[in-house]
Amino acid sequence: MSARWMIGTVLTGVLVALGLLAGQGRLPVSGGGNHAGADPVPTEATLRRESTAPPPTTPKPEPTFVTTTTPAIPLSSTAEAPFEPGVLIIGDSVLEGMGILGMTFGPGTEYDTAVSRSILDLPERIENWRNAGPLSHRIVIHLGTNGWLPAADTLLEDVMDDLDGHRVVLVDVAVDRPWTAAANQAIRATAARHDHVDLVDWQHTARPELLRADEVHPNLEGFDVLYRLVADAVGYTPPGPPATVVS
């Protein structure tokens, strides 16, 4: 066997082997393409594209909205202060009737009333209550039914100065007497001069149908009206509806 024939045989076997491998997809086919199913051959361009491409994004969930209600904030500058318990009532037999009927202004209501009491007794009554303990923040005063002297003007003014820091309610006089005009003039002028003093106008409220036969003391309907006027002045809300006045 010649050497040329042997070389040819070997070359032929090699070519056949290469053809079989190419047919099985184990060698790349000429032209730079990839056989179906073969892993792609990375190139510089492919790597650059992969390195600069934005990462895959996950769709964002739809936003949810929660509706909240903010409670209204009261304006402290305009809100009315809560009612402070404890009301001291100083007066004569007109206000004494309210106490007998059990008309109170919440816990701590104290009645200091007496028949025929004079305005001249007022400083002593205030002093006695101050000595007995803390003086009530709210004080209702109705004196003058039983007389009025010129000295009472200054006396009332001095007591109101002394009660600065308290809430005072002065109830004027509704009685047909010679001193009524002087008493009411002094009571109203004193109330107007002091910011901590309020006035209850009983004189113009006390219609004849609200008074007893003596035309001085209230009847039941009159006491109810007077009570509610005082309650409004001290900032207290009385329970129940007002009495029906038959005119």
Side-chain angles (χ1 to χ4, degrees), residues 16 21 31 64 73 83 85 94 102 116 140 142 154 165 185 188 211 233-234:
V16 171
L21 291 175
T64 56
I73 301 174
F83 181 78
V94 174
S116 301
V140 179
H142 174 66
T154 302
Q185 182 179 355
R188 291 168 185 162
L211 300 176
V234 299

Side-chain angles (χ1 to χ4, degrees), residues 6 25 29 41 51 54 84 87 94 168 174 181 184 201 210 218 221 229:
M6 293 181 62
V29 180
V41 179
S51 63
E84 298 180 23
V87 176
V94 174
V168 182
N184 284 340
D201 187 359
L210 298 179
E221 291 82 2
L229 287 174

